[in-house]
Amino acid sequence: MNIVFLDADTIGRDIDLSMFEKSGHVTVYGFSSKEEMRERAADADVLILNKMQADAYTLEKASHLKLICVTATGTNNLDKEYLDKRGIAWRNVAGYSTESVLQHTFAMLFYLLEHLRYYDDYVKKGDYINDVMFTHFVKTFPQLTGKTWGIIGLGAIGVKVANAATHLGMEVYGYDPFISVNAAWSLSRNVKHISNVEDIYRECDYITIHVPLMEDTKKMLGKEAFGMMKDGVVVLNFARDLLVDEEEILHAIAAGKVKKYVSDFPTPVTAGKEGCIVIPHLGASTEESEDNCAMMAVEEVKDYLENGNIRNSVNFPRCDMGVCSGAGRIAILHKNVKGIIGKYTAVMGENNINI
């Protein structure tokens, strides 16, 4: 089995990738351009990637590719329709950085609210030592207790952010029309689960977004949404940059509707702009997250190749039959055409193979 890691440096250069060798021959590249990916994927049975685009162009030569494993939660770099047509399974490592993104969300909020950059610079310049006052009141900041926080998307991360916000004494609104049973059970009873996202726009002082990027979520925070928001709202986005219409949020900042936009997706539109605090994408950059990412990818590749089990896939149903011992397994992917399964079972019966 030929396993190719196309952009290993994106999850940290100190990560031990020797674990993949248990499943086959492993070739590791730090980074790959699109042209390099076409060549490097040509002989791969399994591709492991983070930000590389997997589509008809880059995978044209990958004639016996069976599986793509994305070392991230987001999968908008995959052409899923193309992968479906070719019968190529794909996985992500959902949940590897949940705790890290939770921590990152609050770190950025506190950094913003308490003007930590300003006060750090104030002391470093020697101004505090030369001040007659014990403290410094030039930049004051509010308590979060009693403020309203709206959370759009109640998946694993959104639920944890919502629950943590309640412990700060905030009034928390949560919106997710597709909330899972597990997420619903995990959500604090103190979170108001609302059915209309417009209630968040109208009521909340702070709004965070924790949804995947899809066609129907692209630019979901746009001119209409900003128009409904309270004056001076703070918007935090650590999910995907394209969930927010960045041109419109700059207009909302200039008009005083949005006080600050905080994100870890710097773009030419927002970088260096007044009212925007944008940093590199760091939500999943803790040492623990990077280790989790590699370990989960190894386990998913190994489980699929050795046992035929499918987890964390959208283009395949979940299928977990435990460890394969003794008899082999055959996976049949077809387009819901009648009689296909019967043809396979007939062949097996003719050869005395019991199913």
Side-chain angles (χ1 to χ4, degrees), residues 77-297:
N77 54 324
L78 305 183
D79 184 335
K80 300 177 181 67
E81 183 177 351
Y82 172 74
L83 297 181
D84 287 348
K85 287 179 180 178
R86 286 196 47 188
I88 299 170
W90 59 269
R91 309 281 183 276
N92 65 351
V93 288
Y96 81 100
S97 62
T98 300
E99 302 293 343
S100 295
V101 178
L102 167 67
Q103 174 179 307
H104 183 59
T105 299
F106 282 92
M108 291 302 296
L109 179 64
F110 295 145
Y111 175 86
L112 164 68
L113 288 185
E114 301 198 359
H115 308 289
L116 298 182
R117 173 66 181 272
Y118 168 81
Y119 282 111
D120 184 31
D121 289 342
Y122 172 74
V123 172
K124 285 177 178 175
K125 290 187 295 184
D127 292 343
Y128 178 74
I129 299 300
N130 297 319
D131 199 332
V132 297
M133 297 289 289
F134 178 73
T135 188
H136 185 65
F137 295 107
V138 170
K139 289 185 178 290
T140 58
F141 47 88
Q143 285 187 170
L144 289 174
T145 304
K147 300 298 189 298
T148 53
W149 190 329
I151 296 169
I152 302 172
L154 294 171
I157 295 171
V159 165
K160 284 187 174 291
V161 172
N163 291 348
T166 66
H167 293 302
L168 292 171
M170 302 187 75
E171 185 176 1
V172 183
Y173 292 72
Y175 170 78
D176 193 331
F178 308 109
I179 186 170
S180 70
V181 173
N182 287 339
W185 276 108
S186 301
L187 190 65
S188 168
R189 69 179 65 183
N190 294 317
V191 175
K192 297 180 180 179
H193 186 208
I194 61 173
S195 58
N196 188 348
V197 71
E198 293 179 0
D199 290 339
I200 284 181
Y201 301 152
R202 296 189 182 102
E203 301 295 333
C204 293
D205 303 303
Y206 304 92
I207 296 175
T208 52
I209 185 167
H210 303 282
V211 300
L213 176 63
M214 300 182 292
E215 276 304 313
D216 58 346
T217 60
K218 189 177 293 184
K219 295 187 178 182
M220 65 180 297
L221 292 189
K223 183 176 182 179
E224 184 177 356
F226 297 134
M228 298 181 202
M229 293 180 188
K230 298 169 66 173
D231 289 345
V233 67
V234 173
V235 177
L236 302 99
N237 172 22
F238 307 114
R240 282 291 180 270
D241 54 333
L242 292 177
L243 297 169
V244 175
D245 187 327
E246 294 181 329
E247 295 288 355
E248 289 299 335
I249 203 168
L250 291 183
H251 293 319
I253 291 170
K257 175 64 69 172
V258 174
K259 182 177 181 180
K260 293 287 184 181
Y261 175 55
V262 186
S263 176
D264 60 356
F265 292 96
T267 71
V269 179
T270 57
K273 297 299 192 300
E274 186 69 28
C276 296
I277 297 177
V278 287
I279 63 170
H281 187 51
L282 298 176
S285 296
T286 62
E287 296 173 359
E288 291 82 358
S289 286
E290 292 174 354
D291 289 339
N292 288 343
C293 177
M295 185 62 70
M296 288 178 67

Side-chain angles (χ1 to χ4, degrees), residues 4 6 82 135 329 332-334:
V4 179
L6 291 165
Y82 172 74
T135 188
R329 289 174 177 166
I332 301 171
L333 173 69
H334 68 97

Side-chain angles (χ1 to χ4, degrees), residues 319-340:
C319 179
D320 191 342
M321 300 179 289
V323 176
C324 181
S325 58
R329 289 174 177 166
I330 297 175
I332 301 171
L333 173 69
H334 68 97
K335 296 181 179 179
N336 202 26
V337 178
K338 63 181 180 180
I340 293 295

Side-chain angles (χ1 to χ4, degrees), residues 303 307-312 317-324 329:
D303 201 22
N307 303 313
N309 292 329
I310 298 172
R311 293 176 292 153
N312 292 337
R318 180 180 177 86
C319 179
D320 191 342
M321 300 179 289
V323 176
C324 181
R329 289 174 177 166

